[in-house]
Amino acid sequence: DAGVIQSPRHEVTEMGQEVTLRCKPISGHNSLFWYRQTMMRGLELLIYFNNNVPIDDSGMPEDRFSAKMPNASFSTLKIQPSEPRDSAVYFCASSPVAGVVDTGELFFGEGSRLTVL
Amino acid sequence: AQSVTQPDIHITVSEGASLELRCNYSYGATPYLFWYVQSPGQGLQLLLKYFSGDTLVQGIKGFEAEFKRSQSSFNLRKPSVHWSDAAEYFCAVTAGGSYIPTFGRGTSLIVHP
């Protein structure tokens, strides 16, 4: 079975450019999470979707960040304009029920490493 | 709000030695507890989880963890470490009624031959 698929795996861009990260969750999973991982701050939750609806976006750093989930099989995280401090690994994870309490497990993609010069 | 503390940033062990990674949580009721492992360049993978019942839980790759309510701890153990266990280990907690796990900062495991 295919796991969570993220693209691109690596992205190098210049400050001010728009960046779009993509995620395909595991089929049948109805919860989706976007995380950001840095050495300084560790693993941070950016946004959580349930049944394609954003439930908690309190972790989104600022208006430059936006996330969408137009259907159950696709989500995007967009940064516009990008800044050097956005450099990080961005992970998408999915879960098969309304919350991790029921399954106890998040399924993570391999991440998208973003470098903003 | 729940919180998770992993007091050790790095742990170095020799191959074949035993391992214990510490995790402490802060939450008033019984939490749901997890350990994840992250190999270099990879996403996180679940090692084991505790919801209720037996406080000693077994996971994949020979790992186990013990929930100690009195100490608010959920330490990860392995009796004999293999070189392939070198990775980053994350403890996570989900409070009852919350669907969002809180992750610790992680412990980096270094294995010497």
Side-chain angles (χ1 to χ4, degrees):
Chain A
D1 289 340
V4 175
I5 300 172
Q6 292 187 244
S7 64
R9 289 295 311 277
H10 302 275
E11 175 91 6
V12 180
T13 191
E14 293 187 346
M15 183 174 62
Q17 296 299 305
E18 177 179 293
V19 173
T20 299
L21 308 178
R22 299 173 182 80
C23 175
K24 177 179 170 56
I26 294 172
S27 178
H29 286 195
N30 64 349
S31 290
L32 184 140
F33 301 75
W34 281 100
Y35 284 89
R36 177 171 67 176
Q37 186 178 41
T38 61
M39 290 292 292
M40 292 296 294
R41 301 173 69 89
L43 200 61
E44 303 174 275
L45 176 67
L46 299 177
I47 188 168
Y48 155 56
F49 291 87
N50 181 243
N51 290 323
N52 312 337
V53 176
I55 303 300
D56 185 345
D57 65 354
S58 59
M60 295 287 266
E62 49 198 270
D63 292 345
R64 297 185 298 107
F65 285 69
S66 62
K68 295 182 179 179
M69 193 166 185
N71 56 63
S73 60
F74 184 66
S75 177
T76 60
L77 178 67
K78 186 175 293 186
I79 308 172
Q80 167 63 21
S82 58
E83 297 182 2
R85 60 190 169 125
D86 301 329
S87 297
V89 181
Y90 291 81
F91 286 103
C92 176
S94 68
S95 182
V97 292
V100 297
V101 170
D102 294 322
T103 68
E105 182 169 4
L106 293 184
F107 294 77
F108 282 82
E110 294 188 321
S112 294
R113 180 174 295 277
L114 173 65
T115 303
V116 183
L117 303 175
Chain B
Q2 66 266 24
S3 66
V4 179
T5 302
Q6 293 181 247
D8 303 307
I9 298 174
H10 302 283
I11 290 281
T12 301
V13 299
S14 298
E15 190 169 16
S18 63
L19 170 70
E20 183 169 32
L21 302 182
R22 296 183 291 166
C23 173
N24 294 97
Y25 66 89
S26 173
Y27 179 63
T30 300
Y32 299 96
L33 296 157
F34 312 86
W35 276 100
Y36 286 82
V37 60
Q38 183 182 26
S39 298
Q42 302 295 313
L44 280 69
Q45 179 187 18
L46 183 74
L47 281 176
L48 48 78
K49 60 191 176 189
Y50 173 78
F51 284 176
S52 64
D54 192 347
T55 56
L56 184 64
V57 293
Q58 303 296 320
I60 63 172
K61 304 184 181 186
F63 285 91
E64 67 178 25
E66 186 172 13
F67 169 58
K68 293 185 177 180
R69 184 190 303 275
S70 62
Q71 298 177 19
S72 297
S73 69
F74 188 56
N75 294 348
L76 182 71
R77 300 194 295 249
K78 186 169 185 177
S80 178
V81 171
H82 189 262
W83 64 266
S84 61
D85 294 324
E88 190 87 12
Y89 291 81
F90 292 89
C91 182
V93 61
T94 300
S98 169
Y99 298 144
I100 302 173
T102 298
F103 284 86
R105 289 298 305 272
T107 297
S108 178
L109 175 64
I110 301 165
V111 181
H112 281 171

